[in-house]
Structure formats: C-alpha cells, structure tokens
Amino acid sequence: MRMRTKHWAAPELNACPYFYRKPEQYLGRWHSLFARRQPVYLELGCGKGLFLAGAAPRNPQVNYIGIDLKDAVLGPARRNIEQAFRGAGRPVDNVILTALNIEQIQNAMGPQDQVSRIYINFCNPWPRKKHKKRRLTHPRQLVHYRQLLVPGGELHFKTDDDELYEDTKGYLESCGFEILTGTEDLYADPPEDNIQTEHEKMFLQQGIRIKALTARMLSEPGCEP
C-alpha cells in the first residue's frame, strides 16, 4: 500500500529537538545525545511510534532510539510520542528519533553506541527467495546487531508471518543467539508489559495470531552473513 505524503511531517521533524536527520554524523556519539547516561533500547522500524509512545514514558530509567526511513511515519511517531508524554506529565527526555535505511545501520551506529535491547516489530517479511536477505532478522543484518548489543543483550521480535517467525528462529540460533522465550500465539497468554503497535492492532482485528520471541546474544560470534 502506497504511503500518503504528509507535507507537515518534515517541518515538524526538522523543528523537533530529539529528531536527527543525518544519523551518520553521530556514529559513536548516540549515548551523549541523551539527557542521562542509562541503558539504551533500540527499535528498528519504529513506524508511527506506538511502541515508543507506550514504553518510553513509563520507563524513564531507559533511553530509547527509534529508527525508520520515511518522514510520513516518523512525523506521526513524533506526534504520538509527544501526546503520550503530555499525558504522563513529563517532557520527552529519553527518546531519539532518526531517519535511516536500517540495512545501512553499520554506517550510523557502531560498538561505541552499544544498546541493551533491540526491538523489531512487524518488519517486512520479504517472502520471495531472492529478497530474503533484506529481512531485518536475516544473518546479514544480525552480524551488525551483534556489534551493537552489549554482552548478553537481547533481541525482541514480533511478526504476523509464520514463515518469517520460523526462519528467524533459525537465523538467530545460527548467529550465536539463545532463544529465551517464543510463542506462536502471543495473546493466548499475553505478558503484562506487552505494548501494541499499529500493525499488531490491525492483525489482531483480522484474527491473525501474533508470533513473538526474545533472544539473548551469546559470546560465540559464529554468524555467516
């Protein structure tokens, strides 16, 4: 589905103090951009920001970075985050948004920018064989995530796609991650801290089961991109 242009998004983002337009300029410096030095959680493909809007206000002890590519989704993300923090009676002081093609994340974030968690919520499943290397959970990407995660750091993943879920388990295990939890029906016994994204709500309304897993990075590198 083609994304509608939002002419207001770019001006609002350019005026936003926690939005960074050229992330490559901040390689090795992301931690210093926050008001407080504390653990950082990274969401890859933050969309309209419902996860960040749900998580960041209730967890002031964590800094969050949300990455997506288009102003058309980052603009609404900024608005949703602002609204959530207003409701919590707090300034937005533990969130950063940036525009980046996630396939090129190694150009904008490196070992000095290590994060404690990576969240990947409902990424493109790229079902055709020739496109599977573009998946955000493919070993080609996991090798970069290993550089970003602290020792023992976690990757949290959700999807509506059965094949992507099964393949991702294999990708993770082949790249030195231990799967801690996994479910093919998240809402059979939903965790108390679960935060719904816009895609999650849509798929639930369609009766599609949500698959989810959490994996921990082990010390063995063993990852073939």
Side-chain angles (χ1 to χ4, degrees), residues 1 7 24 31-32 49 52 63 65 77 81 90 96 113 119 122 152 165 213 220 222:
M1 184 173 63
H7 298 288
E24 297 85 357
H31 286 268
S32 68
L52 293 173
N63 291 330
I65 300 175
I81 290 166
R90 288 184 49 213
I96 283 176
D113 305 304
Y119 289 89
F122 301 95
Y165 178 70
L213 63 79
E220 299 83 0

Side-chain angles (χ1 to χ4, degrees), residues 58-77:
R58 71 174 70 168
N59 294 303
Q61 76 283 1
V62 176
N63 291 330
Y64 291 84
I65 300 175
I67 296 178
D68 217 302
L69 183 59
K70 301 291 187 181
D71 287 1
V73 292
L74 287 166

Side-chain angles (χ1 to χ4, degrees), residues 5-141:
T5 300
K6 295 179 175 62
H7 298 288
W8 52 266
E12 287 192 11
L13 288 168
N14 292 338
C16 176
Y18 54 89
F19 173 72
Y20 293 84
R21 176 69 69 186
K22 297 179 179 180
E24 297 85 357
Q25 296 180 354
Y26 303 97
L27 177 66
R29 298 196 289 127
W30 289 100
H31 286 268
S32 68
L33 302 178
F34 288 100
R36 299 180 296 279
R37 284 269 182 171
Q38 52 194 22
V40 175
Y41 293 175
L42 171 66
E43 186 184 13
L44 300 178
C46 64
K48 295 180 181 178
L50 294 191
F51 171 78
L52 293 173
R58 71 174 70 168
N59 294 303
Q61 76 283 1
V62 176
N63 291 330
Y64 291 84
I65 300 175
I67 296 178
D68 217 302
L69 183 59
K70 301 291 187 181
D71 287 1
V73 292
L74 287 166
R78 188 204 68 83
R79 288 187 173 185
N80 287 328
I81 290 166
E82 294 276 353
Q83 182 180 17
F85 273 85
R86 280 197 302 270
R90 288 184 49 213
V92 184
D93 59 358
N94 65 329
V95 176
I96 283 176
L97 294 175
T98 191
L100 176 70
N101 181 345
I102 296 166
E103 293 182 35
Q104 300 170 6
I105 194 169
Q106 70 276 13
N107 297 328
M109 299 185 75
Q112 290 179 296
D113 305 304
Q114 283 189 327
V115 302
S116 299
R117 288 185 188 175
I118 292 175
Y119 289 89
I120 302 176
N121 296 316
F122 301 95
C123 62
N124 190 327
W126 295 107
R128 298 181 65 177
K129 185 176 181 179
K130 66 178 182 179
H131 293 152
K132 288 185 178 181
K133 285 187 177 182
R134 300 193 66 182
R135 291 172 165 178
L136 293 188
T137 58
H138 190 275
R140 189 175 72 164
Q141 289 298 114

